[in-house]
Amino acid sequence: MHYRLLGQTGIEVSIVAMGTWAIADSFTWGKQDEDDARAAIEVALEVGINFFDTAEGYGAGRSEELLGEALAPHRREVVIASKVSQHNLNRAAVREACEASLRRLQTDYIDLYQIHWASRETPLAETWEALAELKAAGKIRAIGVSNFGLQDLTEALAAGPVTSNQVPYNLLWRAIEHTIQPKCVAHGVGILAYSPLMQSLLTGKFASADEVPETRARTRLFSTARPHTRHGEAGQEAAAFAAIDAVRNISREVGASMAEVALAWVAHQPGVASVLAGARNPAQVRQNSAAAGLTLAPDVIEALNRATDPLKQALGPNPDMWLSESRYR
Ligand SMILES: NC(=O)c1ccc[n+]([C@@H]2O[C@H](COP(=O)([O-])OP(=O)(O)OC[C@H]3O[C@@H](n4cnc5c(N)ncnc54)[C@H](OP(=O)(O)O)[C@@H]3O)[C@@H](O)[C@H]2O)c1
């Protein structure tokens, strides 16, 4: 495993982290065997993954509970990132949410505490003060944000040091490249790349859009005719699957799996501190962790960029994976 610094904190995190949304959200992902989830976390530790991302919102706290149980004996060796939900951003709610996360995680500190989505009701200054108090009390070590666009990021940078911005970033979802990534790089805000496998599409497990289960076909890649979409767009199914085919061919030439190539591509991009790969069982963790050691030659990165550029242009600068009217500001 290889490690990078998390923003300006001095905390070292594995280039490939383990994302733990899918182990606790059966609606989107299908039934999870919790023994598999526990075993996946054990294997993550074994292969050198020291960075785990969760949120109070994942499975109404179940993801934090599973992580807390598995990581309790290893607490000092790992870096835990959690998130406070959008509806919990007033002063009192932030404090309560943090205490509840600490209990579920069986710890007395969270390494990185992130605002999951910016509030449009509570002023950011109020939330930030509450977070700064938690930091001063030693309950959190660093403050991060998630799904912050330029305006929100500018406000946050004025409020205090912003360790990281957790945003969607993968070969099929490159919207942050337009303005958010350059801003993060300019200000030393670490990018934590979420959905780096585009929710499993980049593993190559689906040959066409029709094969993707409805609950997983919710993003703006898919036609608004899919029952769980919440946007009104025609979708980009043809362009997405053309890009997936190209990634498959390039991966073959590289001699690595699509998942490894897709994750390695994210890790090679400017400003990326860690790639938050979701995994539901030990085999997925092992394969994903291998991406940390895969160096892609400049011509391979260029070929991947070229293959996915038409999709990037078609989707435009809105980073919101689910809504046309972007919640990013
Ligand atoms: N801040 C936010 O708003 C936000 C939003 C989304 C995600 N996140 C974070 O980012 C993490 C990762 O994102 P994500 O879960 O959306 O998607 P992802 O990492 O792009 O995809 C993960 C899914 O792909 C499949 N998979 C993973 N590795 C595989 C492999 N090697 N071979 C085959 N299939 C594999 C698994 O599902 P199956 O086995 O079921 O196919 C897994 O659940 C989350 O867990 C969460 O921590 C944050």
Side-chain angles (χ1 to χ4, degrees):
M1 183 50 64
H2 299 263
Y3 301 85
R4 286 183 184 161
L5 288 175
L6 178 59
Q8 323 253 324
T9 58
I11 300 172
E12 286 200 336
V13 291
S14 46
I15 291 183
V16 174
M18 179 172 171
T20 61
W21 169 32
I23 61 169
D25 179 351
S26 54
F27 172 77
T28 305
W29 296 95
K31 196 172 156 21
Q32 174 69 40
D33 178 337
E34 290 197 344
D35 284 338
D36 272 352
R38 292 185 189 96
I41 297 166
E42 286 300 325
V43 167
L45 294 167
E46 185 191 312
V47 299
I49 290 176
N50 75 340
F51 192 30
F52 296 84
D53 182 67
T54 183
E56 61 168 338
Y58 296 165
R62 187 62 191 144
S63 165
E64 288 183 328
E65 283 172 359
L66 280 167
L67 210 50
E69 272 171 41
L71 296 183
H74 311 277
R75 182 63 190 98
R76 302 287 150 184
E77 303 138 44
V78 296
V79 180
I80 298 179
S82 193
K83 309 183 201 82
V84 53
S85 302
Q86 190 177 37
H87 59 268
N88 277 339
L89 295 179
N90 72 49
R91 187 183 301 276
V94 169
R95 282 197 204 124
E96 268 176 46
C98 183
E99 290 299 337
S101 286
L102 288 169
R103 274 194 302 277
R104 285 189 293 265
L105 286 163
Q106 301 188 28
T107 182
D108 50 10
Y109 67 97
I110 293 168
D111 298 277
L112 177 69
Y113 201 41
Q114 307 155 100
I115 299 174
H116 204 150
W117 286 86
S119 175
R120 298 298 170 233
E121 282 145 29
T122 307
L124 182 71
E126 177 179 334
T127 307
W128 211 273
E129 265 180 42
L131 292 169
E133 283 168 20
L134 290 172
K135 193 173 167 204
K139 291 177 188 277
I140 64 175
R141 286 174 77 196
I143 303 171
V145 299
S146 174
N147 298 302
F148 269 39
L150 282 196
Q151 194 182 328
D152 286 329
L153 208 46
T154 303
E155 266 183 45
L157 284 162
V162 182
T163 294
S164 53
N165 190 14
Q166 184 176 141
V167 283
Y169 196 24
N170 63 64
L171 278 162
L172 306 182
W173 209 271
R174 297 172 53 192
I176 67 157
E177 292 177 0
H178 291 277
T179 57
I180 295 173
Q181 181 178 43
K183 175 101 177 171
C184 288
V185 170
H187 292 271
V189 175
I191 294 171
L192 300 181
Y194 77 66
S195 302
L197 296 168
M198 195 59 213
Q199 304 193 334
S200 77
L201 298 186
L202 283 164
T203 66
K205 65 176 64 172
F206 306 111
S208 72
D210 293 341
E211 287 184 13
V212 181
E214 297 300 6
T215 54
R216 218 174 271 202
R218 288 161 54 191
T219 68
R220 289 169 46 235
L221 285 186
F222 295 94
S223 150
T224 187
R226 306 297 286 252
H228 299 294
T229 52
R230 291 180 289 155
H231 59 74
E233 300 176 20
Q236 298 294 340
E237 295 179 4
F241 277 83
I244 289 168
D245 286 344
V247 175
R248 182 178 290 111
N249 292 334
I250 294 168
S251 303
R252 242 178 236 140
E253 282 165 30
V254 169
S257 70
M258 282 179 71
E260 283 166 70
V261 170
L263 295 172
W265 176 87
V266 180
H268 279 68
Q269 302 311 309
V272 173
S274 187
V275 181
L276 311 181
R280 306 179 61 190
N281 58 52
Q284 291 180 352
V285 172
R286 279 191 201 284
Q287 187 172 47
N288 298 347
S289 69
L294 180 64
T295 301
L296 300 177
D299 64 318
V300 171
I301 292 182
E302 188 45 41
L304 290 164
N305 290 347
R306 257 199 321 277
T308 55
D309 211 52
L311 181 62
K312 174 184 169 182
Q313 300 310 330
L315 285 163
N318 175 12
D320 195 322
M321 297 207 319
W322 297 277
L323 299 189
S324 315
E325 205 171 306
S326 183
R327 286 166 293 175
Y328 279 65
R329 188 179 63 172

